[in-house]
Amino acid sequence: MKMIKRVAMSITALVFIGSSVFAQSLADAKKAIDAEQYQKAKTMLKNLTVTQPTNDENFFYLGWVYIKQDYTDSAKTAFNKGIAANPKSALNYAGLGAVARLEKDKAGATSNFNQALILAGKDTKPYRYVGESYLLPVPPATVVTQADADAAIAVLEKGKVVNPKVKDAELMVALGDAYISQLKSNDAYRNYSDALGADPKSLTAHVKEGVLWRLANNWESAANEFKAALAIDPNFGPAYREWAETDLRQSKNDMKVASEKVKEAVEHYRKYLSLTDMSLESQLRYADFLYNAGDFKTLQETTAALSKYANTNLRVYRYLAYSALENKDYAAGLSAINKWLSQAGPNRIYPTDYLVLGRLQLASGDSTGIANLRKAYSLDTTKADVFLEIAKSDYAKKKYLAAANDYQEYFDKSHKGGVLDHFYQANGYYYGFLYPAPGTKPDSTLLTKADSGYSYVNQKLGKPNASAVQYRAYIADLRDADRNNIKGLAKPYYEQYIALVTAKPTLTTADKADLAAAYVYLARIYEYKDKDEAKTLEAYTKAKEYDPTNAAVVAYFSRKPGAKSAK
C-alpha cells in the first residue's frame, strides 16, 4: 500500500482548490457535475444564479450539487429559490422531493414528486430526476430498497415514452442504474445500450456498462468500456475512478494479480483525483477507496488532515473514527465518532456508527459500549453478531451469567454459533452457578444448562472433548452433594477424562495438574465409598506421579506414612 500512501500525502494538502476562471454556461456546469468536479460546478452555478436569476434551472443544478455533497439544507434553499424564480419549475419540485425523501418526509416527497410530474409536460428531465431521487439511499440504509427501485423504474419508464420524439440518454442511464441496484443485469444492460444508441458519445453510459461488467467479474470487458469513455474524453475522471474500483475488486478475486492490480488501482485513482477539482467530495470518494482497500493507516492520515480544514464535511469524522478503530487509536476514534454523532443529525447516522462507537468504548474500558452495540442491532437486525461481541466482553469481565445469556441472544438472533461459542456459554452457566450475584443463592438450574452445553459440544464434535468432559465431571461432583452418601457421579467422567488426556503425545504442566486432581477424585471414591485400600493407594500413587505437590496427595501420604506407592 506504499503507493496509496504517497497519493494521500500528495493530495491532503490540496483539499479545496478553486479556479478563478470558469465558463459561465449551464451546459458547462452540468458537464462539471458529470465529471464529479463539484466545487467547480458549484462556483459556476452560484455565478449563474446571480447573472441569470430568472433561470430556475441554475438553482436546481446548484441544489443537486448540494445533494451530491450531502448538504440537504443548502439544497432545499436552492430549490426554493428556483421555485421563487419560476413557480412552475418542475425540476425544483423534483429537487424538493429528493430532500424530503432524505429527511424521511414521505408525504412531502410524494407531494413534490407529483407536482414535478404534473408540471413536466413532455419534458423528460423532471422524470429523470424524480427517478434518480428514488435511487438515493435514505440513511441509515446504504442501498436502494426494492420499493424505491420499483418507484424509480415506474417513473423512468414513463419518462421514456412521455415524448416519443426525444431519446433521453441520461434518463436511460438512470433507468439502468435503477435495475442494477436490484442486480437485474439484463435490464440494466439493455438500458445502457439504449443510451449509447441514443447518444454514442455518452461518457456516463460507457462507464456504467463498465461497472456492470465489473459486477460480473468480467475485467476485460469492464476495462474496454472505461477505455471507450476515455477515447471520447481523456479527461473524464469517473472512468478512472471506476477503473480503479475494478482493479481493486479484481485484486481481491485473483491473488495472482493482486499486487499488480492494487498498484494499477492507485495509479487510476491518482489520475481520477488529478482530473477533479480536488473537492471534498472527491476526497471522500478516495476515502471510500482506502477503506475498501483496507489501508486504514493511510485513511486515518488522510481524514485527519481533512478534518483540520474549516467547514469540512462531517463525513470526514466518520471515516476518521472507522480507521482509528482499526488502527487501535481509540482516543482519536472516540473523539471523531462523538463529533459525527453529535453534529451529523439523525438522518445521516448509520447503525454501523453506533457499532463503531460501542467497539471503541469497549476497547477503551467503557462498559457503556454494550448499550451502543445493542442500539446498532435495534437499528439494523442484520447486525446480530454484536451479541457475540457483547458475550465475549462480559465473559472477559467475569460477568459469567450475563455472558451465557448474551451467547443465547447471539444464537437466537443470528442463527449461528460455533462449537467454541457453545463451550463458552456452558462455562458461563457453570461459573454463574459457582459465583452467584451478591445476596443470591446458587441456582442449580444453571448446572443443568451447563451440562447440556458441554454435551452439545461433544455431539457436534462427534467425539469427546477433554475439557468438556472435565467440566461435566465437575458438575456431576457438585450434584453429589451428600458427602455422607457419596454416589461417585463424577467417576465415569473423570475416567474418560484421564483416558483422553493420557492419550496425548505430550503433556503440559496444566495437563499433569488436572490429571492429578482427577486421580485424587477417584482415590477418594475408592477410599470412602468402595472401601478399597489397594485402589485408593494406586490412584494416589498415579496422582503423585503427575503432581507430587498436590495438597490431597501430600496429605494422604502424610497420614499413611507406611503406604508404599503402587507398582
Side-chain angles (χ1 to χ4, degrees):
M1 296 296 176
K2 291 182 179 179
M3 290 289 291
I4 295 179
K5 294 175 183 177
R6 287 201 292 271
V7 177
M9 293 174 64
S10 69
I11 66 171
T12 50
L14 301 171
V15 181
F16 299 115
I17 295 179
S19 175
S20 58
V21 180
F22 287 134
Q24 296 299 302
S25 75
L26 182 57
D28 285 331
K30 290 168 65 177
K31 185 177 179 180
I33 295 173
D34 289 341
E36 297 176 11
Q37 298 171 340
Y38 296 124
Q39 285 297 117
K40 177 179 179 180
K42 206 158 51 172
T43 300
M44 295 166 66
L45 289 163
K46 284 180 178 179
N47 288 338
L48 288 170
T49 59
V50 173
T51 59
Q52 302 173 12
T54 60
N55 186 339
D56 59 289
E57 287 196 29
N58 294 332
F59 292 99
F60 168 74
Y61 286 105
L62 177 59
W64 197 251
V65 171
Y66 280 126
I67 282 182
K68 291 285 188 181
Q69 295 185 309
D70 203 21
Y71 295 120
T72 53
D73 289 343
S74 298
K76 183 188 290 187
T77 299
F79 296 140
N80 279 322
K81 287 182 178 180
I83 291 172
N86 176 10
K88 294 184 178 181
S89 176
L91 281 175
N92 281 290
Y93 276 109
L96 287 178
V99 171
R101 275 194 76 252
L102 295 173
E103 293 179 345
K104 299 181 181 179
D105 177 6
K106 187 174 181 179
T110 300
S111 175
N112 282 299
F113 288 153
N114 288 341
Q115 185 66 11
L117 299 181
I118 290 171
L119 295 171
K122 292 187 176 183
D123 186 358
T124 60
K125 289 197 296 293
Y127 285 88
R128 171 196 168 189
Y129 283 103
V130 169
E132 287 197 18
S133 298
Y134 278 117
L135 298 179
L136 298 171
V138 179
T142 57
V143 296
V144 180
T145 66
Q146 180 69 57
D148 286 336
D150 289 343
I153 290 168
V155 72
L156 291 167
E157 290 286 5
K158 289 180 181 178
K160 282 181 73 173
V161 299
V162 72
N163 188 347
K165 295 181 180 180
V166 174
K167 300 296 182 183
D168 189 337
E170 293 177 328
L171 184 144
M172 295 172 191
V173 169
L175 188 52
D177 292 347
Y179 281 117
I180 206 172
S181 74
Q182 303 305 304
L183 302 180
K184 295 181 178 179
S185 301
N186 291 337
D187 292 316
Y189 183 78
R190 173 171 50 81
N191 279 282
Y192 294 146
S193 295
D194 287 347
L196 287 171
D199 180 7
K201 293 187 177 182
S202 173
L203 301 170
T204 307
H206 276 298
V207 170
K208 295 289 186 175
E209 274 202 5
V211 172
L212 192 60
W213 286 119
R214 176 175 78 215
L215 294 176
N217 292 344
N218 187 329
W219 321 118
E220 183 178 357
S221 295
N224 286 339
E225 290 300 330
F226 304 137
K227 291 175 184 177
L230 293 169
I232 298 168
D233 182 355
N235 296 318
F236 191 64
Y240 283 106
R241 174 175 53 75
E242 295 296 355
W243 202 346
E245 296 291 350
T246 300
D247 289 331
L248 186 60
R249 182 180 172 106
Q250 186 177 0
S251 74
K252 294 179 178 180
N253 279 269
D254 186 352
M255 295 306 296
K256 293 180 182 178
V257 298
S259 178
E260 172 193 342
K261 287 301 172 182
V262 168
K263 181 179 179 181
E264 186 176 291
V266 173
E267 293 299 326
H268 285 143
Y269 222 100
R270 178 158 53 188
K271 184 66 174 178
Y272 161 70
L273 288 169
S274 73
L275 294 172
T276 70
D277 50 10
M278 306 299 280
S279 67
L280 185 57
E281 184 65 26
S282 300
Q283 305 292 328
L284 289 173
R285 280 191 176 271
Y286 179 59
D288 276 329
F289 175 77
L290 291 173
Y291 185 85
N292 291 329
D295 189 356
F296 299 107
K297 186 176 185 298
T298 307
L299 178 60
Q300 186 173 354
E301 292 171 355
T302 302
T303 51
L306 291 172
S307 70
K308 295 176 182 178
Y309 288 87
N311 301 319
T312 191
N313 190 309
L314 279 171
R315 282 167 55 201
V316 163
Y317 294 98
R318 170 188 275 155
Y319 282 114
L320 182 54
Y322 285 27
S323 56
L325 172 64
E326 296 290 340
N327 295 326
K328 295 182 171 53
D329 188 356
Y330 303 127
L334 281 170
S335 175
I337 198 66
N338 283 322
K339 185 175 181 66
W340 166 254
L341 290 171
S342 64
Q343 297 183 24
N347 291 335
R348 300 171 70 189
I349 293 172
Y350 298 161
T352 309
D353 298 333
Y354 288 105
L355 186 65
V356 169
L357 173 61
R359 287 172 175 168
L360 286 166
Q361 289 172 322
L362 288 178
S364 303
D366 182 353
S367 61
T368 58
I370 288 177
N372 283 307
L373 292 182
R374 288 182 176 276
K375 185 168 186 176
Y377 172 78
S378 71
L379 296 172
D380 181 0
T381 56
T382 67
K383 300 191 182 303
D385 285 356
V386 298
F387 294 105
L388 181 58
E389 296 182 50
I390 294 170
K392 290 179 178 179
S393 175
D394 279 337
Y395 191 92
K397 294 174 182 174
K398 299 183 178 181
K399 297 180 179 179
Y400 295 116
L401 183 53
N405 292 330
D406 297 333
Y407 275 112
Q408 193 58 50
E409 275 196 281
Y410 169 62
F411 301 148
D412 292 343
K413 292 174 178 175
S414 72
H415 305 292
K416 295 189 294 186
V419 171
L420 192 60
D421 300 325
H422 284 278
F423 179 82
Y424 278 112
Q425 184 193 37
N427 279 3
Y429 287 131
Y430 173 72
Y431 288 115
F433 171 84
L434 290 184
Y435 307 111
T440 63
K441 294 181 179 180
D443 181 358
S444 62
T445 63
L446 297 180
L447 289 180
T448 301
K449 290 182 177 180
D451 191 58
S452 295
Y454 296 128
S455 176
Y456 177 86
V457 167
N458 286 333
Q459 290 172 23
K460 283 295 181 182
L461 289 174
K463 60 182 180 178
N465 172 269
S467 294
V469 171
Q470 184 182 38
Y471 275 104
R472 295 196 77 186
Y474 295 161
I475 293 168
D477 192 25
L478 287 169
R479 286 172 167 166
D480 213 353
D482 186 355
R483 293 310 182 191
N484 294 319
N485 183 26
I486 296 175
K487 297 184 175 97
L489 298 178
K491 183 173 180 287
Y493 294 114
Y494 275 120
E495 289 174 337
Q496 186 180 28
Y497 174 76
I498 289 169
L500 290 168
V501 177
T502 55
K504 294 171 64 173
T506 57
L507 299 177
T508 65
T509 301
D511 287 334
K512 293 176 182 179
D514 286 339
L515 281 170
Y519 275 112
V520 165
Y521 174 85
L522 295 179
R524 286 172 172 166
I525 294 301
Y526 296 139
E527 183 174 10
Y528 297 111
K529 179 179 181 294
D530 298 343
K531 311 298 183 182
D532 188 329
E533 290 187 11
K535 285 191 173 182
T536 301
L537 176 59
E538 182 180 1
Y540 271 121
T541 299
K542 292 296 293 184
K544 186 177 182 179
E545 289 177 10
Y546 287 114
D547 184 7
T549 66
N550 181 287
V553 169
V554 172
Y556 174 77
F557 285 104
S558 295
R559 63 187 169 84
K560 299 278 188 178
K564 294 182 179 180
S565 298
K567 298 297 182 183

